[in-house]
Amino acid sequence: MRLALALALIVVTVVVPFAAQAGQARAAFGVPGDRTPSPPRTPSVIVGGDPGIYGFDGHRHRHRDGVDVVVPSVVFVSPGRCWQSGYWTYQWVPQAYSYSTYVPGYWADGSWIAAHYEPGFYSGGYYQPLWVEGYWTGC
């Protein structure tokens, strides 16, 4: 399929300029061609002038051979939704736990506080890698 497309493209790029030059040569040497006059044009209801006389950009175009070549422009229509691909991020994982810590005896305000265990608390955490899946979003 690609080979056929490539050959067609080569033929078009090579043959079309020669065909255009042959048409100019016929006109230069007075060889009659099939140049029939175009039918009379009717008034246009299109705002901005007749696209047969005026181009779609509003400017008057003159063609030597009387041939209008219109190349349609490609228009891409977006559905208003785009795919956001997945990505890596980090997520905070909190950790908290309690533990018992030993407190040796000590004197405080003239009285003896015996050795004992007191509860202690740890609050922290860490970041872990996290894969966020892709999703649809507005463009």
Side-chain angles (χ1 to χ4, degrees), residues 85-137:
S85 58
Y87 57 94
W88 284 101
T89 188
Y90 290 94
Q91 179 183 25
W92 175 253
V93 179
Q95 284 185 328
Y97 57 88
S98 65
Y99 57 93
S100 294
T101 183
Y102 177 75
V103 178
Y106 59 95
W107 287 94
D109 294 330
S111 60
W112 175 252
I113 306 293
H116 61 279
Y117 285 92
E118 285 184 356
F121 295 97
Y122 171 78
S123 179
Y126 63 94
Y127 285 98
Q128 72 175 3
L130 174 70
W131 175 253
V132 177
E133 292 293 330
Y135 56 92
W136 289 99
T137 183

Side-chain angles (χ1 to χ4, degrees), residues 20 22-28 31-38 63-67:
Q24 292 172 358
R26 271 199 319 251
V31 178
D34 56 343
R35 295 183 184 263
T36 58
S38 60
H63 300 282
R64 285 189 287 173
D65 297 335
V67 177

